[in-house]
Amino acid sequence: MGSLSILFPHRRLKACLQISLWLMLLVPVVVEAQTLATKVPILLPSSIAFDSKGNLYIAETANHVIRKVDTTGHITTVVGTGTQGYDGDNSLATSALLDSPQGLTVAANSLYISDTHNHRIRKVDLLGGTITTIAGSATRGATGDNGPAAVATLDRPVSLALDGGGNLFIADAGSHRIRRIDANTHVITTVAGTGAQGYNRDNASAVSTPLDSPQGIALDEEGNLYLADTHNHRIRRIDASTGVITTIAGTGAFGFSGDSASSNVARLALPQGLSIDPQGNIYLADTANHRVRRIDSGSGVITTIAGDGTQGFAGTGELPTSASLSSPRSVSLSASGLVTIVDTGNQRVRQISRDSIQTIAGLGSTIPASLSLSGDGVVSYGSGQVMATLESATEATGEITFFDQYAGASNGIGVMPLASNAAVLDTSNLSAGVHAITASYSGDSSHSGAQSVAFSLTVTPLPLTAVVAPASISYGETVPEIAGSLEGILARDRSTVAAAYSTDLPIRPTVGVYPVAVRLTGLAAGNYTLPTVPTLTITKAATITTLAVTTGSLVSATSVDANQPLLLSVHVASKTTGIPAGTIILADGGTLIAAGSATSSGDFTFATSALTASPHSVTAAYSGDTNFLSSNSPSTLFTVTSPQSGPADFTLAPSSATTQTIVSGTSANFSFVVNTQGTLSSPVTLSASGLPNLGTASFNPGSIPPGTASGAFTMTIATPKTAQLERLRNPIAFALLLLPLSAFFAGASRSSPTRMLAVLLLSAPLLFSTGCGDRIRAGADTATPVKSYTITVTGTALGNGGETLRHTAVVTLVLQAAN
């Protein structure tokens, strides 16, 4: 120890202070070294081991230290500071930090520790006092087999055992395996368990057989490995030479039975610690039965050697089988062969000697205490609390440690200080599902430890609301990709919960409400639920209704003659896609004119000449259908006037372009309108003059009937193709065509009538082919590439007095030669 170098004005004061500081540093060591093990509390002891000199080492789990009881019964701390954590490698073990150590074994001046919640195996040199990590890391896992143990991962290791060769065996409870570290190579391997939690067979290779949370191991002198398959309620044996696993005790059923009978028909309850004496007899902590039992190596018969099956503390100085234990976790044999028990729930280490049981470590509190849990049995994720209440005559001190059995694993979930004999655990961080919560009190200087029964807590998923966008579209619109957001996620989970949105719609969905599937994803997704399915609503599409009123006797833009037909044309169109169907109603103010169904193209027409001579306001109303909204056209305003008096007459005028250019061999259409005044005595007949050579004119309709106030017609002019005529104009070619008829002419008289008729018939085409009449030259004749024709259209009718009425209209046709 180094000297202090504090400056003071007086030497005497400095010397006094130096002496005081030395005494302060020495007193705790002296006091602890002289403290009897039965005079101090031990907080949740879980494992023990004896060295060859008879010293007892205790894993004090809840205090995060390793204690040593020497052969005089005095207790000291040899590993750990009492602070939970991980630190101190390659330094003094007494300054290192542990986290809930639960396994020990000792040999050859080395102490091996299962630093359980640090997921490591640590080794203490008992001569030098230094500590190192030999396996595991801060990461839970089961990796690293067939490689260095120092880089492997473990998962809550508990019990440890050494064989005769110094090879270390580990009950890796969280990974449901037994693993082995070779003493020479330091390579780690799995010797039992597949990593799957369960049980399915015996008499098979141990490495291919599932285990369930093994928490006790021991080896006999031949190297055969025995393990407590804790949650399978069995003791199993792995043959050293074959590696085959068998069950030697327990049926797999939770309970107690079978004493004084073969061990393979006995029932066990969560067995944990194991030990084997030199004769091969097996000692086991039958934890949930609150007993220690022994399997005879010769007969295989199982018996209870300590504990009456009642959880509690009683029987000191009495027969061991009359004593009460509380959840014993470990059993070992002293150097002199005395059975020593970790009476975990009673916070003691007890030993059987001369047919009586004694406490050799632990305070032996006289004030009993019991622990119970209360709270709501069903809470929503992110809420709730469980209260632990310590029933005791006086107020206790210390902490309550809470454990959670969930999804096949047991984990510590909180340590809360006692206040007025109660401690409250916040359960808002527990995942959705069914939890079995237990609590443990390690005791204090005047109160015994206590452990609660399991409290069943169901955490239900937290409801979320999914908001989708778009939530609504119109019929006929393309369905976009659905996106959305989640409302109600706790702030801590916002990065670990997401959603995927999808819909199952036909190609053209009709109006209706369609569910949107929402799949929650992410690490925390299982803690949430969507009680309400969001929807996509497809609404009716808007429509546009138009109305056109046409008549042949328009006097002005807003006036028509009475008794003349009006054509009311309605068209309904969607503002999206698709063609509306349904009823169309035509109304004149409040008077119904007509009603009918729209055609497949969305049209409806109605002709009438029954409107009275007066102002009118006509509107078309579309009723809508399954997928389309109704709509109305703007009102069309006009006045029907009385028929004009005086002589009947008509007018004829073009209603389209008056000049058109076409290629020879094609057609041209000209539109005209005939408006009548008064009543004609005959139809208006139509004719045309000034047509191209071989051109024809046709009219549709061929005439305008009398009584029609306004009529329209179309004149179609068809022309021949010039190139076809050009071939007939060649006299030589035409003469060649006449050669086959030479025999006919040779046999006829020069002056016969027959011969003369034939000459006339055959000469007519020749006349045309040599340029008679109007003709259109071929495109090769660049002198006249186009020709213009003035075409006169004449309409003729009889007036109401029988007189002939004739009117004309002129259009121009420009004809281009065909190529």
Side-chain angles (χ1 to χ4, degrees):
M1 182 177 295
S3 61
L4 296 174
S5 57
I6 304 174
L7 297 179
F8 292 95
H10 301 287
R11 290 185 178 181
R12 183 175 299 177
L13 179 59
K14 175 181 178 181
C16 291
L17 286 172
Q18 285 180 327
I19 294 171
S20 299
L21 288 170
W22 276 93
L23 289 174
M24 289 173 64
L25 292 171
L26 289 173
V27 166
V29 177
V30 172
V31 170
E32 186 177 48
Q34 295 179 346
T35 302
L36 290 175
T38 55
K39 298 300 182 180
V40 295
I42 299 177
L43 307 183
L44 203 67
S46 60
S47 182
I48 56 174
F50 286 94
D51 65 16
S52 59
K53 298 177 182 178
N55 299 306
L56 173 65
Y57 295 86
I58 305 169
E60 192 178 354
T61 303
N63 205 23
H64 315 292
V65 296
I66 308 299
R67 313 287 287 272
K68 173 186 173 183
V69 180
D70 64 21
T71 55
T72 66
H74 293 92
I75 192 168
T76 56
T77 297
V78 294
V79 185
T81 64
T83 299
Q84 184 179 16
Y86 174 76
D87 196 10
D89 267 357
N90 302 307
S91 63
L92 286 177
T94 50
S95 62
L97 301 184
L98 305 178
D99 190 348
S100 309
Q102 295 183 41
L104 295 174
T105 190
V106 61
N109 293 317
S110 294
L111 175 65
Y112 297 88
I113 306 166
S114 282
D115 196 356
T116 302
H117 286 183
N118 280 325
H119 312 292
R120 293 173 168 92
I121 305 301
R122 305 180 80 176
K123 178 182 177 181
V124 177
D125 181 351
L126 294 177
L127 296 179
T130 58
I131 188 171
T132 55
T133 294
I134 63 171
S137 68
T139 302
R140 294 172 58 176
T143 63
D145 268 358
N146 303 309
V151 296
T153 59
L154 304 173
D155 189 349
R156 289 180 288 115
V158 283
S159 182
L160 300 174
L162 289 162
D163 66 9
N167 302 303
L168 180 66
F169 291 80
I170 307 165
D172 199 13
S175 72
H176 314 290
R177 291 176 167 93
I178 306 299
R179 304 179 79 178
R180 174 185 182 273
I181 300 176
D182 187 273
N184 297 316
T185 65
H186 307 296
V187 169
I188 190 170
T189 54
T190 295
V191 297
T194 64
Q197 182 179 18
Y199 171 85
N200 64 3
R201 57 181 174 174
D202 268 326
N203 302 309
S205 171
V207 293
S208 64
T209 302
L211 306 175
D212 192 346
S213 310
Q215 297 190 41
I217 52 175
L219 292 119
D220 63 17
E221 293 186 350
E222 297 175 354
N224 300 306
L225 178 67
Y226 296 80
L227 63 99
D229 196 356
T230 303
H231 286 188
N232 281 324
H233 314 296
R234 290 175 165 89
I235 306 300
R236 306 178 81 175
R237 176 185 184 273
I238 301 173
D239 188 273
S241 59
T242 65
V244 171
I245 190 169
T246 55
T247 294
I248 64 169
T251 64
F254 179 93
F256 173 77
S257 68
D259 262 1
S260 302
S262 176
S263 60
N264 57 17
V265 297
R267 294 174 66 184
L268 308 176
L270 298 174
Q272 294 195 32
L274 294 179
S275 186
I276 301 176
D277 65 17
Q279 293 74 39
N281 301 306
I282 300 169
Y283 300 84
L284 64 103
D286 196 0
T287 303
N289 280 325
H290 311 291
R291 290 176 167 91
V292 174
R293 302 174 82 176
R294 175 183 182 271
I295 302 173
D296 187 84
S297 62
S299 64
V301 170
I302 189 170
T303 54
T304 295
I305 63 170
D308 60 2
T310 301
Q311 184 177 16
F313 176 76
T316 297
E318 300 177 5
L319 286 174
T321 53
S322 300
S324 295
L325 307 178
S326 180
S327 305
R329 285 194 183 181
S330 181
V331 59
S332 186
L333 297 173
S334 70
S336 59
L338 298 179
V339 176
T340 307
I341 304 163
V342 177
D343 194 1
T344 303
N346 285 321
Q347 319 291 335
R348 294 173 171 84
V349 178
R350 305 173 80 177
Q351 194 171 71
I352 299 174
S353 176
R354 296 191 181 93
D355 296 328
S356 67
I357 190 168
Q358 304 291 337
T359 295
I360 63 170
L363 187 61
S365 303
T366 57
I367 301 176
S370 62
L371 193 61
S372 61
L373 297 177
S374 61
D376 292 334
V378 179
V379 297
S380 294
Y381 171 69
S383 66
Q385 61 184 28
V386 172
M387 175 178 285
T389 303
L390 189 70
E391 301 292 339
S392 175
T394 60
E395 186 170 339
T397 60
E399 297 172 330
I400 301 295
T401 302
F402 293 87
F403 300 90
D404 178 23
Q405 183 75 28
Y406 172 73
S410 180
N411 294 290
I413 54 172
V415 179
M416 306 303 296
L418 272 175
S420 301
N421 282 0
V424 176
L425 173 72
D426 179 9
T427 60
S428 63
N429 287 318
L430 296 183
S431 299
V434 178
H435 299 257
I437 309 296
T438 56
S440 177
Y441 172 59
S442 57
D444 61 15
S445 59
S446 59
H447 294 81
S448 64
Q451 187 168 354
S452 73
V453 298
F455 175 78
S456 180
L457 174 65
T458 299
V459 179
T460 60
L462 188 65
L464 296 180
T465 300
V467 179
V468 297
S472 176
I473 62 173
S474 294
Y475 172 79
E477 287 185 322
T478 300
V479 179
E481 183 178 351
I482 302 297
S485 60
L486 296 173
E487 296 180 354
I489 298 177
L490 299 181
R492 66 171 183 254
D493 292 334
R494 286 174 185 162
S495 63
T496 55
V497 178
Y501 303 87
S502 62
T503 57
D504 185 12
L505 298 177
I507 295 176
R508 184 180 291 277
T510 58
V511 168
V513 178
Y514 296 87
V516 176
V518 183
R519 181 172 60 88
L520 296 179
T521 61
L523 295 176
N527 296 319
Y528 295 91
T529 185
L530 288 166
T532 303
V533 177
T535 58
L536 171 66
T537 300
I538 298 180
T539 61
K540 292 185 177 183
T543 58
I544 301 173
T545 300
T546 57
L547 170 63
V549 180
T550 59
T551 178
S553 59
L554 285 173
V555 176
S556 67
T558 59
S559 179
V560 297
D561 287 339
N563 300 321
Q564 300 300 312
L566 289 175
L567 183 63
L568 307 178
S569 301
V570 182
H571 180 71
V572 181
S574 170
K575 286 189 176 182
T576 57
T577 58
I579 299 175
T583 302
I584 295 174
I585 297 174
L586 287 166
D588 181 9
T591 303
L592 175 67
I593 298 176
S597 298
T599 65
S600 59
S601 60
D603 294 307
F604 174 74
T605 59
F606 179 74
T608 181
S609 58
L611 296 182
T612 61
S614 62
H616 295 271
S617 175
V618 179
T619 305
Y622 168 61
S623 65
D625 64 7
T626 304
N627 296 314
F628 293 95
L629 294 170
S630 62
S631 60
N632 296 328
S633 73
S635 297
T636 299
L637 305 176
F638 59 91
T639 301
V640 176
T641 61
S642 300
Q644 296 181 5
S645 60
D649 201 351
F650 70 93
T651 61
L652 172 62
S655 61
S656 64
T658 59
T659 299
Q660 295 191 42
T661 301
I662 64 173
V663 176
S664 177
T666 60
S667 300
N669 294 320
F670 293 90
S671 297
F672 300 85
V673 63
V674 175
N675 292 321
T676 62
Q677 180 179 354
T679 303
L680 298 174
S681 298
S682 70
V684 178
T685 59
L686 305 168
S687 63
S689 61
L691 299 173
N693 186 40
L694 300 182
T696 61
S698 60
F699 299 91
N700 183 28
S703 62
I704 306 301
T708 302
S710 179
F713 66 89
T714 301
M715 177 181 70
T716 301
I717 299 176
T719 64
K721 189 171 183 181
T722 307
Q724 293 173 343
L725 296 177
E726 195 67 32
R727 288 194 293 269
L728 295 178
R729 296 190 191 112
N730 190 326
I732 299 174
F734 183 74
L736 290 176
L737 292 175
L738 299 180
L739 287 178
L741 302 177
S742 60
F744 173 77
F745 293 107
S749 172
R750 181 180 298 271
S751 60
S752 67
T754 302
R755 185 173 181 180
M756 292 297 291
L757 179 61
V759 170
L760 291 173
L761 292 174
L762 293 173
S763 297
L766 184 60
L767 292 174
F768 287 110
S769 69
T770 57
C772 296
D774 290 327
R775 62 187 178 95
I776 301 171
R777 298 185 60 83
D781 186 356
T782 58
T784 56
V786 296
K787 187 170 184 179
S788 177
Y789 297 88
T790 300
I791 300 171
T792 302
V793 178
T794 302
T796 306
L798 295 177
N800 53 10
E803 71 276 15
T804 299
L805 303 175
R806 183 175 288 110
H807 297 282
T808 61
V810 176
V811 295
T812 301
L813 177 68
V814 178
L815 197 62
Q816 295 179 341
N819 293 328

